[in-house]
């Protein structure tokens, strides 16, 4: 029995997962999402009425859940919250816990999983990320699409008579819960702690000799080809680092980060993504600025897509950071297609941090954020204030134009005659 508010540690999680490894069923499916919290299952369901995004994932769930598909599962487990450090290394823990045949399911449109019933199978399904954090409707649609994927794959195994267990979890919570034991600390310290805990892996670095010349980090790095084939490159880039960076080039003027992937998904044999950066002197500011000029995608050595980049620049001594970068119009920093092939790609990058010049001590320098000082809210406040001040000034001006009579009628004398000139 786990009470609400309890955070399951890595050691407790090990004990809770033991029944999965000792039962007769040796097939385990791990559905991984980028973010998920217990509040999502109530908030998103109740906020949109009959439009339930969790039609296949039944009952009340949270970060870890052995769940009931079509109400036929003999058992289930709900954990209120799991330590991020435990979920961060979940995949490596599962691999060490048994002699599994690991299969990464990258094609989310597949309707039938290849399962060798003579062996113990660990199937890892990377669900599409909830990238539209600025739009709750889009988030709802993304969760509903992930729910359909879960339902489709588990239904297939049930129809084939294959016994299995399922874990549905996320790398980090979608909603940060304040810790009650640190209420007395400063808000700035709390935010710093949360930021540190949320970093699940080290940035990718490119070195020349003993010096690091490029640092690249993202909490989510994924693509979608032809609006159908989803490619999640986050783990391959930062966790397993199954990426070739040998073609990257560094200099004091131009830097290119080249990321080459082999067979990232079925149907694509090779994929290369290039980030082209420049370091230039601008007389207006009397200093050097580093800019990300373009992003290129080369598929199978033939199909070439090029994107122009908006608003990615920083002083040459700084790194660049942006919460959302991609092809969506909702993102503060956009990748704008510059040729026809680029229109076939959608790019999603969250919490991007990039530095290609003047790296010291193998660490990011101070980050220049893409969010400007004047946000839309600030502009609306300023415009409203100007309108109110104008009304106030006009009212004061009209009041000051009012005049009073300098002469008055005498009831005992003749009527007062005031010439029109007065």
């Amino acid at each position: 029995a786990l009470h609400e508010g309890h955070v399951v540690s890595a050691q407790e999680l090990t004990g809770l997962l033991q029944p999965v490894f000792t039962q007769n069923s040796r097939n385990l499916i791990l559905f991984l999402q980028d973010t998920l919290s217990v509040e999502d299952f109530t908030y998103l369901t109740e906020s949109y009425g009959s439009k339930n995004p969790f039609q296949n994932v039944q009952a009340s769930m949270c970060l870890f859940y052995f769940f009931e598909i079509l109400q036929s599962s003999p058992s289930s487990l709900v954990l209120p919250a799991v330590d991020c450090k435990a979920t961060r290394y979940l995949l490596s823990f599962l691999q060490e816990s048994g002699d599994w045949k690991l299969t990464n399911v990258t094609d989310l449109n597949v309707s039938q999983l290849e399962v060798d019933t003579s062996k113990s199978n660990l199937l890892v399904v990377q669900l599409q990320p909830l990238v539209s954090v600025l739009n709750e409707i889009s988030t709802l649609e993304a969760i509903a699409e992930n729910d359909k994927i879960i339902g489709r794959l588990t239904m297939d195994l049930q129809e084939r008579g294959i016994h299995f267990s399922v874990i549905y979890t996320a790398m980090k919570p979608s909603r940060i819960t304040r810790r009650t034991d640190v209420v007395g600390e400063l808000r700035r310290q709390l935010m710093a702690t949360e930021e540190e805990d949320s970093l699940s892996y080290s940035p990718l670095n490119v070195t020349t000799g003993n010096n690091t010349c490029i640092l690249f980090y993202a909490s989510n790095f994924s693509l979608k080809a032809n609006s159908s084939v989803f490619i999640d490159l986050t783990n391959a880039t930062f966790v397993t680092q199954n990426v070739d960076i040998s073609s990257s080039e560094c200099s004091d003027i131009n830097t290119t980060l080249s990321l080459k992937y082999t067979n990232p998904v079925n149907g694509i044999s090779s994929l290369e993504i290039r980030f082209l950066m420049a370091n230039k002197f601008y007389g207006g500011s009397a200093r050097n600025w580093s800019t990300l000029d373009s992003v290129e995608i080369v598929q199978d050595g033939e199909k070439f897509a090029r994107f122009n980049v908006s608003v990615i620049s920083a002083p040459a001594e700084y790194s660049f950071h942006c919460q959302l970068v991609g092809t969506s119009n909702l993102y503060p920093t956009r990748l704008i297609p510059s040729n026809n092939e680029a229109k076939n790609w959608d790019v999603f990058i969250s919490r991007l941090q990039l530095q290609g010049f003047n790296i010291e001590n193998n660490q990011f320098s101070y980050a220049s954020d893409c969010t400007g000082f004047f946000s839309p809210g600030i502009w609306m406040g300023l415009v409203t204030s100007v309108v109110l001040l104008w009304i106030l000034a006009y009212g004061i001006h009209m009041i000051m134009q009012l005049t009073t009579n300098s002469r008055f009628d005498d009831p005992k004398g003749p009527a007062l005659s005031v010439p029109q000139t007065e």
Side-chain angles (χ1 to χ4, degrees), residues 224-227 295-297 303-308 327 335-347:
K224 183 177 286 187
N226 299 317
S227 301
V295 175
E296 300 174 349
I297 300 177
K303 299 180 180 180
F304 176 79
R306 181 183 177 88
F307 299 87
N308 294 326
T327 52
L335 301 182
I336 305 171
S338 63
N339 63 0
N340 292 330
E341 185 62 33
K343 297 178 182 179
N344 298 326
W345 290 91
D346 294 319
V347 183

Side-chain angles (χ1 to χ4, degrees), residues 242-263:
N242 186 21
V243 56
D244 181 9
I245 58 175
S246 60
S247 298
S248 300
E249 300 177 356
C250 297
S251 70
D252 295 334
I253 300 176
N254 295 299
T255 295
T256 300
L257 172 61
S258 174
L259 306 174
K260 293 183 178 180
Y261 306 88
T262 303
N263 296 320

Side-chain angles (χ1 to χ4, degrees), residues 78-95:
V78 177
L79 303 184
V82 178
D83 189 356
C84 289
K85 295 180 180 178
T87 59
R88 192 174 302 163
Y89 303 107
L90 173 64
L91 183 57
S92 59
F93 165 72
L94 292 176
Q95 289 178 294

